[in-house]
Amino acid sequence: MDLWLGIVGLALALYQIRKVERAAIAAKAAVDQSAHQVNTISLLLLVPELALIERELDLAAQSEDNEETRRLVREWLHRAGDLRGLLAVHNPMTAGLLEQVQASISLASVAQRELGKGKLPANGTRRLRESASEIVVLARSESSQIRASIEAPKPLPTLMDDLRGVGRRVQKWKRKVSSHG
Amino acid sequence: MADVDNEKMVAVVRRLESLTRRKLIRWTTTDQDDTYLFNSEASSVLVGSTNGDGEHPLFVQILSPDGTVTESLETDKHVAEDMFAPNWFQDVFDLHRRARRSATDADAVLDALLEDLGKLEPPF
């Protein structure tokens, strides 16, 4: 009788330890998943914003609106910087895009200087606009892939799963005890 | 000879020239006339002629990831004409020439031209 009580007590203790361990793992996974989701959502929100800036920049440059073009070049510089930051920590599959974004930041910096020196907007932003257009196409494609790759969270184990686990452990102990006895 | 501050920059210029000559890196055009960009993961480099004419003064600028100039090297037109001009003036000149060829794909254009000219030769 004492032996069975001991076995049941040990099984319960093991169950409690396992439960606490699983809760800690689940909590860490939830934090990781939340950080990843915030990053992903920021990335997905940034893509339409970049597309809008790219379109407006094209229109402003073609209509030779110097002031608006300069504002949009600054805006591109900031948003592309945000995108670079997100891509750097987000996903290795976006490495090619990251390099293009870095180039567009440098091109924006040059365009800003040229506009400041009085170069006409259409001519002073030609390479930047080409680069921005390529980035928008690439970023849209990457964001579609990211959307498709987002997995549904795994359900937490139910009470029945826990009880089955306890049952399996008790059986294992019983086998061990009988083989030694 | 480059002063101590310029030594690292000159080393960067020589390394870039060597990599460009061996076609291991590629340059692209920018919105500044006769100025070319090389982009690495950590930073970017611009090489160009200040007046957009391919002649001295020439400059090399290192840009940080956010696009600001962190380091630069510039040749002087009058010093460049002097026979005692520092060696690194020639290094910057060579890098600029190589970067232009890379950015404008000059080799591909020349290869295509040579092929076309070859077709015009009589077959004997």
Side-chain angles (χ1 to χ4, degrees), chain B residues 5 9 13 26 61 69 73-74 78 98 101 107 116:
Chain B
D5 285 347
M9 276 296 282
V13 167
R26 279 193 65 82
Q61 292 173 341
V69 179
L73 195 61
E74 188 166 8
H78 300 295
R98 295 273 178 206
R101 282 181 74 106
D107 282 337
D116 284 350

Side-chain angles (χ1 to χ4, degrees), chain A residues 64-83:
Chain A
E64 299 290 8
D65 184 340
N66 192 294
E67 204 168 309
E68 182 66 353
T69 305
R70 287 173 78 167
R71 184 187 72 76
L72 289 161
V73 170
R74 264 200 313 275
E75 195 66 24
W76 179 268
L77 205 49
H78 292 147
R79 291 290 156 265
D82 292 343
L83 180 61

Side-chain angles (χ1 to χ4, degrees), chain B residues 27 57 61 71 92 97 106 120:
Chain B
W27 296 74
Q61 292 173 341
E71 197 64 75
V92 174
R97 194 168 48 95
L120 297 175

Side-chain angles (χ1 to χ4, degrees), chain B residues 3-21:
Chain B
D3 61 31
V4 178
D5 285 347
N6 285 344
E7 268 178 24
K8 268 191 186 169
M9 276 296 282
V10 174
V12 167
V13 167
R14 287 181 183 150
R15 183 72 64 88
L16 286 170
E17 194 276 332
S18 164
L19 290 168
T20 312
R21 180 163 27 87

Side-chain angles (χ1 to χ4, degrees), chain A residues 122-160:
Chain A
N123 207 16
T125 59
R126 191 183 53 81
R127 277 293 291 124
L128 168 63
R129 287 181 289 125
E130 281 171 9
S131 163
S133 164
E134 284 165 17
I135 283 167
V136 167
V137 170
L138 265 174
R140 275 187 174 142
S141 146
E142 297 288 2
S143 72
S144 308
Q145 284 182 38
I146 289 167
R147 268 200 203 98
S149 70
I150 294 171
E151 289 174 9
K154 285 179 186 165
L156 288 169
T158 61
L159 178 65
M160 280 310 288

Side-chain angles (χ1 to χ4, degrees), chain A residues 77 84 99 102-103 105-107 109-111 113-114 117 119 123-128, chain B residues 28-33 37 39-41 44 46 59 61 63-69:
Chain A
L77 205 49
R84 188 197 59 218
E99 208 175 300
Q102 182 58 59
I105 290 171
S106 303
L107 288 170
S109 174
V110 173
R113 251 174 16 195
E114 289 303 290
K117 283 193 268 179
K119 202 164 188 175
N123 207 16
T125 59
R126 191 183 53 81
R127 277 293 291 124
L128 168 63
Chain B
T28 60
T29 53
T30 69
D31 288 311
Q32 187 172 355
D33 294 338
L37 170 75
N39 198 49
S40 83
E41 272 182 30
S44 307
L46 288 171
F59 65 87
Q61 292 173 341
L63 305 185
S64 67
D66 65 359
T68 43
V69 179

Side-chain angles (χ1 to χ4, degrees), chain A:
Chain A
M1 184 65 181
D2 283 351
L3 176 66
W4 281 113
L5 274 175
I7 291 169
V8 171
L10 189 62
L12 279 173
L14 282 172
Y15 168 66
Q16 286 299 333
I17 290 167
R18 178 82 183 110
K19 202 172 173 182
V20 169
E21 186 189 19
R22 213 160 40 201
I25 291 168
K28 190 188 176 302
V31 170
D32 288 350
Q33 197 178 17
S34 299
H36 182 76
Q37 276 171 352
V38 167
N39 223 338
T40 305
I41 290 164
S42 310
L43 186 71
L44 296 178
L45 288 175
L46 205 50
V47 176
E49 212 176 323
L50 282 165
L52 185 66
I53 298 169
E54 185 262 331
R55 203 171 52 234
E56 287 184 348
L57 175 61
D58 213 34
L59 290 172
Q62 279 174 21
S63 58
E64 299 290 8
D65 184 340
N66 192 294
E67 204 168 309
E68 182 66 353
T69 305
R70 287 173 78 167
R71 184 187 72 76
L72 289 161
V73 170
R74 264 200 313 275
E75 195 66 24
W76 179 268
L77 205 49
H78 292 147
R79 291 290 156 265
D82 292 343
L83 180 61
R84 188 197 59 218
L86 287 170
L87 291 173
V89 293
H90 186 259
N91 201 327
M93 79 179 181
T94 53
L97 177 59
L98 178 61
E99 208 175 300
Q100 295 240 28
V101 172
Q102 182 58 59
S104 98
I105 290 171
S106 303
L107 288 170
S109 174
V110 173
Q112 207 171 27
R113 251 174 16 195
E114 289 303 290
L115 292 171
K117 283 193 268 179
K119 202 164 188 175
L120 290 173
N123 207 16
T125 59
R126 191 183 53 81
R127 277 293 291 124
L128 168 63
R129 287 181 289 125
E130 281 171 9
S131 163
S133 164
E134 284 165 17
I135 283 167
V136 167
V137 170
L138 265 174
R140 275 187 174 142
S141 146
E142 297 288 2
S143 72
S144 308
Q145 284 182 38
I146 289 167
R147 268 200 203 98
S149 70
I150 294 171
E151 289 174 9
K154 285 179 186 165
L156 288 169
T158 61
L159 178 65
M160 280 310 288
D161 293 330
D162 287 343
L163 289 175
R164 274 188 210 110
V166 171
R168 274 195 298 273
R169 278 191 191 85
V170 170
Q171 290 295 326
K172 205 173 162 185
W173 266 96
K174 272 170 75 177
R175 276 199 299 274
K176 210 169 181 178
V177 168
S178 60
S179 70
H180 284 291

